[in-house]
Amino acid sequence: TKAEGRHGYRFFDVSMQRLAQSRWQLEEGLHKAISQQELELWLQPQVTVQGVISGAEVLLRWQHPDKGMISPLDFISVAEESGQISAIEEWVLEETLKKVKSWQEAGLPKTFRHISINISPSHFMQADFISRIEPILKKYPLDNIDVEFEITENLLIDNFAQATKSMKVLQEQGISFSIDDFGTGYSSLRYLNQLPINVLKIDRYFIAPINTLEDEAPIVDVILLMAKKLGLEVIAEGVETEVQRQFLAERGCRLYQGYYFSKPLHHGEFYAMICRQQVI
Ligand code: C2E
Ligand code: CA
Ligand code: CA
Ligand code: CA
């Protein structure tokens, strides 16, 4: 239980002690997670207005031997703060490319065109970020499938010059970029037409309130209009209902991701599903 002080602050009580302890356990556990093969790639389809799966986002899961499945919301920040995020995301990149390459060899619908990977700002800003991922990209060249890095606005705000430089180098290696959770960070519009950005992902915060086709969603309208003017693609995140899909389709948003189509799936299940090309 939270012991809330009279003036609103919390005391360092038993529950906080437990929190610190479990954080430390996570940090220790993460060291072993890669070598013990406890991390798993899950994928969530990205679906076009025609209902075709044109890509997927890779979402990491940690299958802990005692604690069961741990959400990335609970361990990514620990990985960032303990300096383990680079090793983890390099693993994600390599495993993803390896997997997609093997799927291509086994047979993958030609309509599957891109794979998105989340890159943490603290990983992206490592001095050796590019030199460490280049060999991975070279090792698994993918034909006709774009590799997209999802980054957040805050990365650009805090490190504009260096981030810009790295993005341009990576663009030359064939990487494309999307802005994740667009609209929720400290947006600066100046970067949008200066950087090699291809896609804006509208955060589900803006999609969730849409209940009927008559609703108003001014932020969604503005993002779609701006993207159109700038020649950017838009993916709506967190689409959970047919009404939301239709609402977005009527406004020209042609790509969707969300539980309405599919939750994230274990990579094996994802591959089986995409071979059947069946969503909802
Ligand atoms: P995100 O990048 O914004 O990913 C989307 C999250 O929304 C995923 O949660 C996904 O399962 C969830 N989601 C998708 N559709 C719906 C929907 O219709 N409704 C609702 N309520 N939720 C939906 P997940 O998989 O728990 O991942 C949480 C966050 O963890 C991700 O948010 C991302 O920020 C982070 N994450 C996951 N894998 C990685 C990684 O490899 N590297 C980094 N840096 N972050 C990662
Ligand atoms: Ca993402
Ligand atoms: Ca997102
Ligand atoms: Ca998010």
Side-chain angles (χ1 to χ4, degrees):
T1 60
K2 283 186 251 179
E4 199 103 16
R6 232 181 348 126
H7 305 286
Y9 50 80
R10 281 184 223 158
F11 296 108
F12 187 88
D13 62 8
V14 177
S15 73
M16 290 193 73
Q17 211 169 331
R18 247 184 242 130
L19 194 71
Q21 201 172 29
S22 78
R23 221 184 146 75
W24 182 82
Q25 284 171 352
L26 284 183
E27 188 178 326
E28 286 302 294
L30 269 178
H31 284 293
K32 280 181 279 179
I34 296 183
S35 60
Q36 306 285 101
Q37 300 178 318
E38 293 168 11
L39 299 180
E40 292 178 349
L41 302 180
W42 286 53
L43 292 101
Q44 186 176 34
Q46 296 170 339
V47 181
T48 70
V49 69
Q50 290 89 6
V52 172
I53 303 170
S54 63
E57 175 177 4
V58 178
L59 294 159
L60 194 54
R61 298 286 181 267
W62 180 8
Q63 209 58 256
H64 192 281
D66 317 317
K67 296 182 206 280
M69 176 112 93
I70 305 180
S71 158
L73 295 173
D74 294 323
F75 70 83
I76 291 291
S77 65
V78 177
E80 287 170 341
E81 285 158 27
S82 63
Q84 304 185 70
I85 191 71
S86 308
I88 289 172
E89 289 184 342
E90 282 169 19
W91 179 87
V92 170
L93 178 64
E94 175 146 12
E95 285 302 302
T96 300
L97 297 181
K98 203 188 287 179
K99 206 115 264 166
V100 174
K101 193 140 190 75
S102 76
W103 289 347
Q104 271 193 322
E105 281 156 12
L108 189 63
K110 297 271 181 287
T111 41
F112 188 84
R113 300 302 301 275
H114 57 93
I115 187 87
S116 307
I117 295 173
N118 291 286
I119 304 285
S120 152
S122 60
H123 181 201
F124 198 94
M125 294 316 295
Q126 300 269 313
D128 59 356
F129 173 66
I130 290 182
S131 65
R132 293 182 61 101
I133 64 164
E134 261 175 356
I136 306 174
L137 296 174
K138 291 225 170 72
K139 197 164 158 197
Y140 304 98
L142 298 178
D143 298 328
N144 304 316
I145 293 182
D146 283 334
V147 178
E148 187 177 283
F149 285 173
E150 297 197 0
I151 59 173
T152 58
E153 295 163 280
N154 297 345
L155 166 73
L156 300 171
I157 301 312
D158 297 338
N159 318 279
F160 193 77
Q162 198 193 328
T164 305
K165 232 169 97 186
S166 301
M167 287 173 77
K168 288 182 174 159
V169 172
L170 288 167
Q171 183 190 35
E172 278 164 19
Q173 320 261 338
I175 298 293
S176 55
F177 289 93
S178 63
I179 304 293
D180 205 357
D181 307 335
F182 186 76
T184 64
Y186 298 95
S187 305
S188 158
L189 298 181
R190 113 187 127 120
Y191 67 75
L192 281 179
N193 59 0
Q194 282 180 32
L195 291 180
I197 291 161
N198 309 72
V199 179
L200 303 181
K201 298 192 76 175
I202 306 183
D203 195 77
R204 72 164 184 268
Y205 176 85
F206 301 110
I207 308 300
I210 301 169
N211 285 316
T212 74
L213 293 176
E214 290 71 45
D215 279 6
E216 290 187 10
I219 306 289
V220 173
D221 291 344
V222 167
I223 294 174
L224 288 170
L225 184 67
M226 189 172 65
K228 193 172 175 192
K229 293 270 181 203
L230 294 169
L232 302 171
E233 288 226 64
V234 176
I235 299 182
E237 291 194 278
V239 177
E240 294 186 351
T241 66
E242 167 59 21
V243 164
Q244 290 169 346
R245 189 205 65 82
Q246 197 181 330
F247 183 98
L248 290 157
E250 282 176 2
R251 285 161 181 76
C253 178
R254 301 159 41 83
L255 281 170
Y256 323 98
Q257 189 180 334
Y259 294 171
Y260 176 61
F261 301 96
S262 169
K263 293 202 168 184
L265 302 171
H266 181 273
H267 61 78
E269 221 185 310
F270 178 85
Y271 181 63
M273 194 257 312
I274 193 161
C275 289
R276 297 192 305 269
Q277 264 299 326
Q278 265 173 16
V279 286
I280 56 172

